[in-house]
Amino acid sequence: MKNNKKASPWNSIKVGLFSLLAMVIFAYGFQITKVNLEELRSENRQESLVRVTRALAKPEIFEYEQVEEIVNFPIYVPCPTDGSQAPVPEHNATEPYIVLTPSCVNPGEIIEVEGFNFAPFTVGPLRFIPGSDVTNVVSLGRENAETDADGHFLVSMKIPDRTSDDVQYIRATLRRNVGSPHFTQTARDTWNKIVETVFLALLATVFGTVLAIPLSFIAARNLMKTVKSPLTSISLSVLGWPIGILIGFIAVRWVGNLSASIGSNAWVNLASILLSPILAWIGLRWALPQEEINRPSQTVRLERLGVILLVVLVSFYGLFQLASLAMSAGKNLEASLGSFSFLGYFLFQVGDIVAIITPALGALAAGGTLSSFLGRLGQQGSERLPVSGIKILNLILTTVAGATVLGLVGQLVEWLYQIGEPMYTLWGPMAVGAGLGLLLAILSKPKESLPIGMVIYSITRTFLNALRSVEALVMAIVFVIAVGIGPFAGVMALGLHTIVSLAKLYSEQVESILAGPLEAIEATGANRLQTIIYAVIPQIVPPYISYTMYRWDINVRMSTIIGFVGGGGIGFLLQQNINLLNYRAASAQMLAIAIVVATMDYISSALREKVI
Amino acid sequence: MLQIKNLTKIYDGGVKALDNVSFEVPDGQFLAVIGLSGSGKSTLLRCINRLIEPTEGQIIWNGEDITAASQDEMRRIRRKIGMVFQHFNLVHRSKVITNVLAGRLGYVNPAWSLLNRFPKEDIEKALQQLKRVGIAEKAYQRADELSGGQQQRVGIARALMQDPKMVLADEPVASLDPVLAHSIMTHLEDINKNDGVSVLCSLHFLDLVHRYADRVVALNEGKLVFEGLPKDIDDKKFKEIYGRDAERVG
């Protein structure tokens, strides 16, 4: 081989040009980011910086009860022309008192203030009180008095430019701490909010993980690459989704109404909740024998299908009853449990969530079931029917499916942008969809298996990548509008971001599993679902746990700042205190964040080591 | 009777792994498949249970065309074909008994698999199979805690769980030392002779072929270059199968 490493002048010039270009880019960056040390040197900045840093160094966590010793001493400013003296207040040898030298001055002159008999080692402001009212809250000056072991202090003070014919006052207010330290209000607020923050992160992580797991399977290339279906099967599945969702929604709503009409009697609820799983279990045991050597007859299969449908309806009835019982029980418990009323609140909310998501769940389940059933039908059809029949069937089905999909997309566009022109949002897209479907049916071979898995995979990946690039903070702004300011918006935003980013990370783990066990399980005759359960899941448990903990770390960090946009948690308090220039309180919150994040870091890394 | 007719497999990259291969395997035969690495042995075995889709040709097993079977039919066909792999292909983090029970997945209802439930009879059967291959005491250990030889026995037990009529063994002893190799081959021989299961086994070492196989097929660059009894492989045939520069070892 030839040695290419010889230095040529052209290479040197190239390196030189690259360096020059890099420097120019960097220089432009300086201008864009306004790098300017002049500001740092300005006195105002430095003074504020010192002040803020000192405040930050003293987080407002503990405070003491304080007692004050206040002494007011009369003074004339300027000295009266008739030479009269301000009345010296009487004092005995045990009470605190102050002495001024001289006893009267002109504005702007220095006066010496000497204090006696104060409590030892106390500190406090020394102020000039303008006006003749001794109780005036307005005070001038910056001096601080500090007593020594004998309770004595001596401070020189400049008298401000406030002249009056009446007597004015010098006031010494010396304070000292008594008793033991206790938490400030700031500390208590911070504690409440930090608890909220941790739970916000917890809920978001749990929701996100649960939903990311199924998504990660359809975003994994190695699992989806083998999913191939003939066109008949694909178009029937596509049609199955909307029809199934509609049927499922109607059926489950009917069950819901049935459940509601039975009422919210706790005993009826309880009986239904206990009975429906038993019935469902018996039905399932009958309809789904664990092992079957021979293929059952058509009638038996139809009977089983009917029983399974009944089981599903009974299960949804049970869910509705469960929701109803949880809500009524939760309400009662909340009223009677006292400090554990949050358990009742939880029960009520869970019931509410179940009641809300049950119809959606039913609709989705029906959609999925009908879609997969029709898909199988299409698969069998395209295996058995003659080629010409399949071709005609494909032409019809694909046209209808294409029209349906684009018609629905058009309706979504209509809903979003309110165009109000059915030509553009319904008929037009339907015609285009029908045309595309027809084209696909004409171009593809009738029985050819199309890589539908890769299509779903690509769509899912694109969707995940697009959503992942939206920061959780931005999502929080949207959710704040949807569900109002508060931690719930934060949970939704962080949860959504967790779903999409975990689904991506998880699916990469699925893609890196060993192919051998997958192949072995497939060779035993296992279907796709069984292959995932027995060959994929055991392999991905450790990385899934590890990524979930990593995400939990991130969520704790994120939840501390999601309050900046109204998403609840400690961020709200922190931002408020920074805006109010209350740096000592902000410092307490920063400290809390640091402690929580560090603790969570430690716990999660310890757990990770233990699990894996 | 397994009939392979004009089987051809061309991979996506254009590599011809199998080129018009035809042969027959009577029921209950121990057939060795030999050939160099990359000669198409693994592809041939995987085409039989359609882990790899053949490009052309037919595979007919007891009158049923495997290559034309639908997905549902394929599940029923596959569960009668056990498979043993060079790298054992156990699920490492699962227990040994779970790995063995996986052999029943073609029989159990997928809905119950969601709950990880197997019938009682299957669990008893799995323990019996583990006893048969001599590692009954390892049933509740994790699969990756076992040695190589033990893992391959789990692989055989998994194949046995399928009540197979045929076992495909893809270089089952290539990752094992000679002593273990004989022990594993004895198990396969036991299945073949006592249960009457056909065994198609790809092998590297000719002494194993002579010792265990009833019949041999040899592949070279995807073509069938020899079909006959093990004793018929003389030096001339050997050079044909393995190339002119090859030397006999063992």
Side-chain angles (χ1 to χ4, degrees):
Chain A
M1 251 184 55
K2 232 177 82 179
N3 187 3
N4 284 333
K5 284 189 177 167
K6 240 182 191 171
S8 76
W10 173 231
N11 273 352
S12 310
I13 292 171
K14 261 203 305 201
V15 170
L17 280 177
F18 267 122
S19 314
L20 203 66
L21 186 70
M23 248 168 68
V24 169
I25 291 173
F26 209 68
Y28 189 59
F30 259 61
Q31 197 209 328
I32 294 284
T33 55
K34 303 202 171 80
V35 175
N36 184 2
L37 294 187
E38 211 52 45
E39 275 289 309
L40 191 65
R41 289 198 202 98
S42 92
E43 207 155 294
N44 277 341
R45 290 265 168 219
Q46 284 191 349
E47 201 177 305
S48 335
L49 187 64
V50 168
R51 190 163 45 80
V52 171
T53 314
R54 281 183 185 157
L56 286 179
K58 284 185 280 184
E60 198 177 287
I61 300 172
F62 297 112
E63 64 183 6
Y64 291 88
E65 292 291 344
Q66 285 191 320
V67 287
E68 287 178 341
E69 287 174 315
I70 303 172
V71 176
N72 293 303
F73 198 88
I75 183 172
Y76 277 115
V77 181
C79 286
T81 42
D82 60 358
S84 63
Q85 293 278 317
V88 177
E90 291 212 0
H91 62 84
N92 58 36
T94 55
E95 277 175 10
Y97 66 95
I98 53 180
V99 174
L100 306 177
T101 0
S103 60
C104 71
V105 287
N106 290 323
E109 284 180 352
I110 304 286
I111 193 173
E112 294 221 312
V113 183
E114 203 171 2
F116 299 93
N117 280 349
F118 285 89
F121 304 119
T122 53
V123 209
L126 201 60
R127 298 282 185 268
F128 177 80
I129 312 294
S132 55
D133 182 8
V134 75
T135 59
N136 193 353
V137 288
V138 177
S139 59
L140 304 169
R142 279 191 174 175
E143 277 73 9
N144 267 327
E146 201 175 338
T147 60
D148 58 16
D150 301 328
H152 168 260
F153 69 82
L154 176 66
V155 178
S156 316
M157 183 179 177
K158 191 180 172 193
I159 296 300
D161 190 9
R162 289 295 182 98
T163 55
S164 169
D165 290 340
D166 289 329
V167 70
Q168 303 188 71
Y169 294 92
I170 294 285
R171 180 189 294 162
T173 311
L174 288 175
R175 303 192 179 109
R176 65 174 194 276
N177 299 332
V178 292
S180 50
H182 57 87
F183 286 112
T184 56
Q185 185 60 38
T186 308
R188 265 173 278 160
D189 290 346
T190 306
W191 170 254
N192 285 339
K193 283 290 175 185
I194 204 80
V195 169
E196 185 179 301
T197 306
V198 170
F199 278 92
L200 196 159
L202 177 71
L203 288 190
T205 312
V206 171
F207 284 146
T209 308
V210 167
L211 291 171
I213 289 173
L215 260 183
S216 68
F217 293 127
I218 55 175
R221 194 187 186 88
N222 55 344
L223 295 186
M224 296 305 280
K225 211 169 76 178
T226 52
V227 179
K228 288 183 177 170
S229 286
L231 194 57
T232 328
S233 167
I234 295 172
S235 36
L236 275 172
S237 323
V238 167
L239 283 174
W241 272 107
I243 300 173
I245 285 177
L246 198 67
I247 294 176
F249 191 71
I250 293 170
V252 175
R253 211 173 46 176
W254 177 77
V255 173
N257 288 340
L258 183 75
S259 166
S261 70
I262 286 169
S264 55
N265 182 317
W267 294 112
V268 176
N269 287 346
L270 203 61
S272 313
I273 290 164
L274 290 178
L275 267 178
S276 53
I278 295 173
L279 276 178
W281 181 252
I282 293 171
L284 279 183
R285 282 308 286 252
W286 182 82
L288 298 172
Q290 285 197 310
E291 268 185 29
E292 262 182 323
I293 305 303
N294 298 313
R295 231 186 148 82
S297 71
Q298 199 69 35
T299 40
V300 171
R301 282 163 71 188
L302 273 179
E303 277 172 27
R304 284 182 183 167
L305 198 67
V307 170
I308 289 173
L309 272 179
L310 271 179
V311 164
V312 170
L313 288 183
V314 167
S315 316
F316 277 111
Y317 172 74
L319 270 179
F320 276 118
Q321 290 287 308
L322 185 68
S324 158
L325 180 70
M327 281 164 81
S328 55
K331 225 170 206 167
N332 290 333
L333 283 179
E334 199 178 354
S336 62
L337 271 183
S339 63
F340 283 95
S341 67
F342 69 89
L343 288 174
Y345 179 77
F346 171 71
L347 208 56
F348 179 83
Q349 292 301 333
V350 166
D352 205 16
I353 291 171
V354 171
I356 285 178
I357 65 169
T358 300
L361 213 63
L364 279 182
T369 314
L370 192 67
S371 163
S372 83
F373 176 74
L374 287 180
R376 278 175 70 116
L377 213 64
Q379 177 88 37
Q380 285 172 6
S382 75
E383 274 158 7
R384 290 193 191 136
L385 294 177
V387 173
S388 57
I390 286 298
K391 186 87 186 174
I392 295 169
L393 200 62
N394 276 353
L395 286 178
I396 300 169
L397 286 175
T398 318
T399 310
V400 177
T404 312
V405 170
L406 281 203
L408 285 175
V409 171
Q411 286 301 290
L412 180 69
V413 171
E414 164 69 27
W415 181 81
L416 275 175
Y417 298 102
Q418 294 182 302
I419 294 165
E421 182 74 61
M423 193 57 224
Y424 294 132
T425 57
L426 186 62
W427 307 119
M430 277 180 82
V432 172
L436 286 178
L438 203 62
L439 203 68
L440 188 63
I442 291 170
L443 289 182
S444 63
K445 288 183 206 137
K447 292 199 175 187
E448 193 186 13
S449 282
L450 300 176
I452 182 67
M454 285 313 283
V455 174
I456 297 175
Y457 159 84
S458 308
I459 294 174
T460 316
R461 271 289 167 102
T462 314
F463 174 72
L464 290 183
N465 285 339
L467 263 186
R468 213 156 46 95
S469 58
V470 180
E471 253 307 314
L473 271 180
V474 181
M475 289 182 182
I477 296 173
V478 177
F479 280 112
V480 162
I481 296 163
V483 299
I485 288 179
F488 187 47
V491 169
M492 302 279 277
L494 273 187
L496 185 59
H497 201 256
T498 306
I499 293 173
V500 288
S501 42
L502 271 188
K504 177 87 192 306
L505 290 175
Y506 284 169
S507 63
E508 269 157 17
Q509 286 308 307
V510 174
E511 284 175 2
S512 68
I513 60 171
L514 296 174
L518 217 66
E519 187 184 34
I521 298 292
E522 214 180 315
T524 64
N527 72 1
R528 192 166 299 278
L529 178 74
Q530 290 172 318
T531 313
I532 288 180
I533 292 171
Y534 286 94
V536 178
I537 290 181
Q539 294 196 60
I540 55 177
V541 167
Y544 270 39
I545 290 176
S546 155
Y547 275 126
T548 309
M549 296 211 170
Y550 165 66
R551 190 64 212 182
W552 158 249
D553 271 7
I554 294 179
N555 279 351
V556 170
R557 261 171 257 251
M558 280 301 299
S559 62
T560 59
I561 58 161
I562 202 132
F564 277 37
V565 295
I570 199 164
F572 180 63
L573 216 54
L574 181 59
Q575 189 205 24
Q576 218 175 27
N577 281 321
I578 290 174
N579 287 348
L580 292 172
L581 308 185
N582 190 355
Y583 292 109
R584 283 196 60 203
S587 169
Q589 276 119 40
M590 287 182 201
L591 190 68
I593 290 173
I595 291 172
V596 164
V597 169
T599 314
M600 291 299 164
D601 236 30
Y602 175 75
I603 292 176
S604 73
S605 72
L607 272 180
R608 214 171 342 187
E609 256 169 44
K610 210 162 204 177
V611 172
I612 296 152
Chain B
M1 169 88 95
L2 177 76
Q3 296 161 290
I4 314 273
K5 292 180 181 172
N6 308 100
L7 194 68
T8 299
K9 171 67 189 176
I10 303 170
Y11 283 110
D12 285 343
V15 179
K16 210 170 204 179
L18 290 176
D19 189 357
N20 204 14
V21 173
S22 305
F23 62 91
E24 288 182 0
V25 189
D27 281 346
Q29 193 170 63
F30 196 120
L31 177 84
V33 182
I34 59 172
L36 288 170
S37 298
S39 60
K41 302 188 298 289
S42 294
T43 308
L44 173 65
L45 292 180
R46 280 170 174 73
C47 278
I48 292 174
N49 62 1
R50 270 180 59 191
L51 284 179
I52 292 176
E53 287 291 333
T55 314
E56 263 173 60
Q58 276 186 314
I59 300 166
I60 294 167
W61 190 34
N62 296 333
E64 197 169 10
D65 188 351
I66 293 182
T67 38
S70 71
Q71 282 183 358
D72 275 359
E73 286 162 352
M74 209 49 234
R75 177 171 149 94
R76 280 185 299 108
I77 294 169
R78 272 186 189 156
R79 69 188 188 190
K80 285 291 176 193
I81 306 177
M83 193 157 188
V84 180
F85 300 85
Q86 177 183 355
H87 298 294
F88 329 129
N89 287 2
L90 301 185
V91 181
H92 286 173
R93 290 178 51 84
S94 295
K95 278 184 230 153
V96 166
I97 185 125
T98 314
N99 271 290
V100 177
L101 278 168
R104 288 308 281 180
L105 286 176
Y107 292 90
V108 297
N109 199 314
W112 293 106
S113 296
L114 267 179
L115 306 175
N116 197 9
R117 281 178 67 95
F118 285 96
K120 268 202 195 73
E121 311 87 70
D122 282 357
I123 296 171
E124 275 163 30
K125 193 171 168 179
L127 290 171
Q128 262 172 22
Q129 302 294 4
L130 281 174
K131 208 179 205 169
R132 183 171 173 183
V133 295
I135 45 170
E137 75 284 359
K138 306 279 185 192
Y140 292 98
Q141 287 189 15
R142 260 173 60 158
D144 55 1
E145 288 168 3
L146 269 56
S147 68
Q150 289 170 335
Q151 290 198 22
Q152 191 59 297
R153 285 192 239 177
V154 176
I156 291 176
R158 175 171 67 192
L160 283 174
M161 281 302 279
Q162 295 177 237
D163 292 328
K165 292 267 190 311
M166 173 162 66
V167 167
L168 308 171
D170 183 18
E171 302 192 14
V173 296
S175 324
L176 301 173
D177 64 51
V179 181
L180 283 174
H182 273 290
S183 128
I184 294 297
M185 289 308 290
T186 317
H187 283 299
L188 287 177
E189 189 181 34
D190 171 42
I191 297 165
N192 175 248
K193 296 289 178 285
N194 296 330
D195 301 1
V197 174
S198 321
V199 175
L200 274 71
C201 179
S202 61
L203 285 171
H204 269 308
F205 289 105
L206 278 178
D207 64 334
L208 291 177
V209 176
H210 285 291
R211 164 86 174 70
Y212 295 101
D214 298 330
R215 219 170 109 241
V216 181
V217 294
L219 293 173
N220 190 347
E221 292 186 349
K223 290 195 182 69
L224 193 73
V225 291
F226 175 80
E227 187 180 355
L229 298 176
K231 64 180 166 51
D232 294 339
I233 306 178
D234 51 21
D235 279 352
K236 184 165 162 288
K237 284 283 170 208
F238 181 83
K239 300 264 181 202
E240 258 179 56
I241 298 167
Y242 288 105
R244 265 181 297 137
D245 302 335
E247 290 285 337
R248 291 185 91 132
V249 289

